[in-house]
Amino acid sequence: MANDGDKDGRDMHSIQSPLSLFMGYYSGMGMFAVIFDMDGTLIDNMPVSWVVINRILKRDYGFSVPADEIKHYAGTPFASKVVKWKGKYNVDVNLETFFPEYVREELIEFKKNPKTIGGVIPFLKELKKHHVPMAVATSTTPTRARAMLEASNLLSYFSIIVTASDVTNQKPNPEIFLLAAKKLNIAPSKCVVIEDAVFGIQSGINAGMKTVALLNEYLPNAEAKKADLQINSFDDMSFEKLSKLMN
């Protein structure tokens, strides 16, 4: 991680003020933006989410999704999950009643022990220090996105949050990332997408953006390798590493 360190005894000409860093950044020294997925990328909520999903499915519909099948649903919108459940279990899950109940119960459970992905807060602080524009692009609703980011103390880092409600086409279509870039006023080629799911990585690639794959148990190695960079956690990331990726 970049660190200004102790300025005592250093040549003052080598110390850049926040304004000079800002002007240098936007004058072409390495202008780029970072667009994050949310679930499983910023916040570590996947175990809690599936406990809640299966609890509701078992209670209201008499079935649950086995652990070895969960990876097939990673990164897919709930509407797609419902379609898959219909085909596999021949059960009509009412999305209009299921999803609000899921959001309510998930938030309750998540707030008991809110977790972020390892190293993400120091990384966000470093990007903020370097005035890197940041956005969230997530396949969920605006209400849930803000609630989960707030519960994990990440909301303040993002002025731009693009959700499924803002686009017609979902990941792997690039629309959500292209809209995020437009809202950031940054060209897609100057954006880095950080994702933990197959559809998300493909969406970033389809948008013409650099992609970083956050490795996890649900992401096949072959798909992760399609990204420009693979990391185990945000402890592996830094402003310097992203700058090298973009230049």
Side-chain angles (χ1 to χ4, degrees):
M1 297 291 182
N3 193 335
D4 284 340
D6 187 353
K7 297 179 182 179
D8 292 340
R10 288 172 53 184
D11 180 1
M12 292 304 294
H13 293 291
S14 69
I15 301 171
Q16 290 180 283
S17 69
L19 178 60
S20 65
L21 282 170
F22 181 85
M23 295 305 294
Y25 179 77
Y26 277 96
S27 64
M29 284 175 56
M31 183 179 69
F32 62 87
V34 183
I35 307 174
F36 296 83
D37 175 47
M38 186 180 75
D39 295 289
T41 299
L42 289 170
I43 59 175
D44 187 5
N45 65 316
M46 300 309 290
V48 167
S49 293
W50 277 100
V51 165
V52 173
I53 288 170
N54 274 333
R55 184 167 67 203
I56 299 172
L57 289 177
K58 189 70 175 178
R59 181 183 69 212
D60 296 346
Y61 297 96
F63 79 99
S64 60
V65 179
D68 60 352
E69 288 186 15
I70 289 175
K71 62 183 178 181
H72 300 300
Y73 298 96
T76 61
F78 260 89
S80 299
K81 291 180 175 69
V82 168
V83 172
K84 289 183 179 181
W85 293 335
K86 169 65 175 177
K88 187 171 183 64
Y89 299 104
N90 195 29
V91 175
D92 287 310
V93 174
N94 186 329
L95 188 59
E96 291 186 2
T97 57
F98 179 92
F99 188 75
E101 186 67 11
Y102 159 72
V103 170
R104 187 186 69 81
E105 293 190 23
E106 180 201 32
L107 188 58
I108 291 171
E109 294 297 329
F110 184 71
K111 282 184 173 181
K112 292 177 182 178
N113 186 23
K115 293 182 179 181
T116 55
I117 297 298
V120 72
I121 292 179
F123 181 55
L124 292 174
K125 288 181 178 179
E126 185 184 16
L127 293 181
K128 185 176 181 179
K129 184 182 73 171
H130 287 281
H131 309 286
V132 177
M134 293 182 282
V136 173
T138 174
S139 301
T140 190
T141 62
T143 301
R144 178 176 175 272
R146 293 187 68 86
M148 295 297 282
L149 289 170
E150 185 174 26
S152 52
N153 292 318
L154 298 180
L155 185 60
S156 63
Y157 292 98
F158 302 101
S159 59
I160 302 297
I161 301 172
V162 184
T163 70
S165 301
D166 298 311
V167 296
T168 302
N169 303 294
Q170 304 301 321
K171 304 172 186 178
N173 187 285
E175 184 180 358
I176 195 166
F177 288 125
L178 292 174
L179 180 57
K182 182 179 180 180
K183 287 179 175 289
L184 289 169
N185 198 29
I186 301 286
S189 62
K190 294 295 185 180
C191 293
V192 181
V193 166
I194 303 182
E195 267 278 2
D196 73 310
V198 173
F199 284 173
I201 293 168
Q202 190 59 55
S203 178
I205 293 171
N206 291 341
M209 300 176 180
K210 294 291 187 181
T211 53
V212 176
L214 179 62
L215 303 178
N216 59 49
E217 61 183 301
Y218 306 120
L219 180 61
N221 287 334
E223 296 298 330
K225 288 179 180 179
K226 293 179 181 179
D228 297 288
L229 184 66
Q230 298 79 38
I231 61 173
N232 290 302
S233 75
F234 287 100
D235 293 326
D236 300 332
M237 288 302 297
S238 66
F239 173 78
E240 181 181 4
K241 186 173 287 189
L242 282 186
S243 296
K244 289 179 179 179
L245 178 66
M246 297 303 293
N247 294 294

